[in-house]
């Protein structure tokens, strides 16, 4: 079995505070509606890309 198949899914960054804020980003997790809606079907690589965007958003870089 390959390493990818053995890899655990990356957990959602949701913190249970779902409220749209500036730039249509959730004030709790800093994801947009599409990122939230698609989270369950994304690959771990795609989830890592979103987590990287969240880190940039935390620094004030809107993407």
């Amino acid at each position: 079995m390959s390493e990818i198949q053995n890899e655990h899914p990356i957990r959602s960054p949701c913190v249970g505070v779902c409220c749209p804020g500036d730039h249509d980003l959730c004030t709790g997790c800093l994801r947009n509606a599409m990122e939230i809606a698609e989270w369950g079907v994304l690959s771990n690589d795609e989830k890592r890309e979103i987590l990287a965007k969240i880190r940039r958003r935390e620094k004030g870089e809107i993407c």
Side-chain angles (χ1 to χ4, degrees), residues 9-52:
I10 295 175
R11 291 178 51 135
S12 167
C14 179
V15 295
V17 180
C18 303
C19 182
D22 294 340
H23 307 285
D24 292 323
L25 298 175
C26 173
T27 59
C29 66
L30 295 177
R31 292 180 293 167
N32 64 38
M34 187 64 70
E35 293 166 342
I36 292 168
E38 293 182 341
W39 189 265
V41 296
L42 297 175
S43 70
N44 277 351
D45 286 338
E46 292 168 319
K47 290 176 182 179
R48 285 184 194 98
E49 289 176 21
I50 291 172
L51 292 172

